[in-house]
């Protein structure tokens, strides 16, 4: 769940990961992580396409 604080405009949005010991992750860190995930997915898909071209 993403939380965008409206009671304090200086507070940054956070991501809450619900589990036994709930984690609160600052939005900027989650964006950084997701950008790295997207880059890795793009590289993997590119490598898979190159591999499939060699099998054709």
């Amino acid at each position: 769940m993403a939380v965008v604080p409206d009671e304090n405009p200086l507070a940054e949005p956070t991501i809450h990961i619900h589990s036994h010991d709930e984690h609160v992750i600052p939005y900027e860190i989650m964006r950084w992580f997701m950008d790295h995930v997207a880059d890795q997915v793009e590289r993997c898909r590119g490598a898979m396409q190159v591999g499939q071209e060699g099998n054709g």
Side-chain angles (χ1 to χ4, degrees), residues 5-12:
D6 57 357
E7 69 280 354
N8 180 357
L10 300 176
E12 294 197 20

Side-chain angles (χ1 to χ4, degrees), residues 24-37:
V24 177
I25 302 168
Y27 178 76
E28 286 301 317
I29 292 174
M30 182 60 85
R31 289 286 311 168
W32 172 85
F33 175 76
M34 294 307 295
D35 287 344
H36 283 276
V37 169

Side-chain angles (χ1 to χ4, degrees), residues 7-50:
E7 69 280 354
N8 180 357
L10 300 176
E12 294 197 20
T14 56
I15 306 295
H16 291 254
I17 308 297
H18 293 284
S19 65
H20 294 79
D21 53 342
E22 185 172 316
H23 299 280
V24 177
I25 302 168
Y27 178 76
E28 286 301 317
I29 292 174
M30 182 60 85
R31 289 286 311 168
W32 172 85
F33 175 76
M34 294 307 295
D35 287 344
H36 283 276
V37 169
D39 290 345
Q40 184 67 30
V41 167
E42 190 173 318
R43 282 194 298 275
C44 289
R45 286 182 176 164
M48 289 173 56
Q49 288 177 350
V50 168

